[in-house]
């Protein structure tokens, strides 16, 4: 999937087994570790993100690419398919999609790229008429992520308790999407 953005081609390539060493390096970057947890071993990354072992209904993983260069990671999931894991039990709408995202390289931070990524990826999701909303759950004190989601059109709804701790439930609906 590739979209032409105002300053370069922004794309989302399905994660492959060959991408896992890059993902592993990114997951060890201090700016990622701060919000995604302690670094994983390569074996843990292979186990947790290997597209070949992904079960039906699990998250879909993508590399974020700018002009063909990998710059980050985004995953998409249907919250109703994760109730059994303790996630999003209050969400009953099967059309809601959740996203988690990070830019893997520190030099990409602070340049507005996260906002572009979220707007572009949300546009792709909303192409499916069954998708009713896109949610995210940044840590309430992750102010950079919260501001990025707000700039992309997401609205902060409330603090929720997740299996990973408190999170700010943020939502982008077709109504506040505006495109």
């Amino acid at each position: 999937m590739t979209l032409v953005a105002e300053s370069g081609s922004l794309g989302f390539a399905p994660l492959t087994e060959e991408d896992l060493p890059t993902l592993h390096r990114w997951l060890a970057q201090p700016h990622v570790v701060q919000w995604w947890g302690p670094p994983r071993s390569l074996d843990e990354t292979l186990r947790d993100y290997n597209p070949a072992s992904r079960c039906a209904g699990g998250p879909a993983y993508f590399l974020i690419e700018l002009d063909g260069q990998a710059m980050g990671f985004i995953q998409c999931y249907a919250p109703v398919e994760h109730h059994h894991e303790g996630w999003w039990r209050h969400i009953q709408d099967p059309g809601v999609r959740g996203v988690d995202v990070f830019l893997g390289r520190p030099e990409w931070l602070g340049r507005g790229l996260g906002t572009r990524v979220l707007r572009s990826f949300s546009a792709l999701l909303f192409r499916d008429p069954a998708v009713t909303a896109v949610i995210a759950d940044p840590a309430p004190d992750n102010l950079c992520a919260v501001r990025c989601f707000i700039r992309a059109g997401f609205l902060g709804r409330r603090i929720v308790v997740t299996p990973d701790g408190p999170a700010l439930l943020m939502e982008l609906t077709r109504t506040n999407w505006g495109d």
Side-chain angles (χ1 to χ4, degrees):
M1 294 184 275
T2 300
L3 297 173
V4 177
E6 52 276 1
S7 59
S9 176
L10 187 62
F12 305 95
L15 189 73
T16 67
E17 289 184 54
E18 292 77 32
D19 299 322
L20 292 171
T22 298
L23 180 63
H24 177 254
R25 281 192 305 278
W26 289 342
L27 287 165
Q29 291 289 318
H31 71 279
V32 177
V33 167
Q34 182 177 7
W35 305 111
W36 283 64
R40 293 168 170 86
S41 69
L42 181 57
D43 286 342
E44 290 170 321
T45 301
L46 296 173
R47 179 197 68 219
D48 294 345
Y49 293 96
N50 192 329
S53 63
R54 193 178 75 77
C55 64
Y61 304 130
F62 300 91
L63 283 186
I64 303 163
E65 297 178 338
L66 182 64
D67 293 330
Q69 179 181 5
M71 62 176 275
F73 172 81
I74 192 163
Q75 67 181 16
C76 176
Y77 57 91
V80 297
E81 295 176 0
H82 296 277
H83 289 175
H84 67 285
E85 299 168 349
W87 288 93
W88 306 118
R89 290 187 175 145
H90 67 282
I91 296 176
Q92 299 301 315
D93 179 353
V96 174
R97 297 293 175 266
V99 295
D100 299 301
V101 60
F102 66 79
L103 300 181
R105 298 171 46 171
E107 63 265 25
W108 293 109
L109 300 175
R111 298 172 52 187
L113 293 170
T115 300
R116 285 180 55 201
V117 164
L118 288 167
R119 295 288 295 169
S120 296
F121 197 75
S122 296
L124 288 172
L125 293 175
F126 280 132
R127 285 183 186 170
D128 179 349
V131 173
T132 58
V134 181
I135 64 165
D137 63 344
D141 57 341
N142 186 346
L143 299 180
C144 290
V146 170
R147 284 191 297 265
C148 180
F149 281 104
I150 289 171
R151 284 190 304 269
F154 286 72
L155 301 175
R157 296 298 188 196
R158 65 185 176 280
I159 301 294
V160 295
V161 178
T162 74
D164 287 341
L168 176 59
L169 175 61
M170 303 192 77
E171 181 181 46
L172 181 65
T173 64
R174 287 188 181 277
T175 304
N176 61 312
W177 168 237
D179 273 4

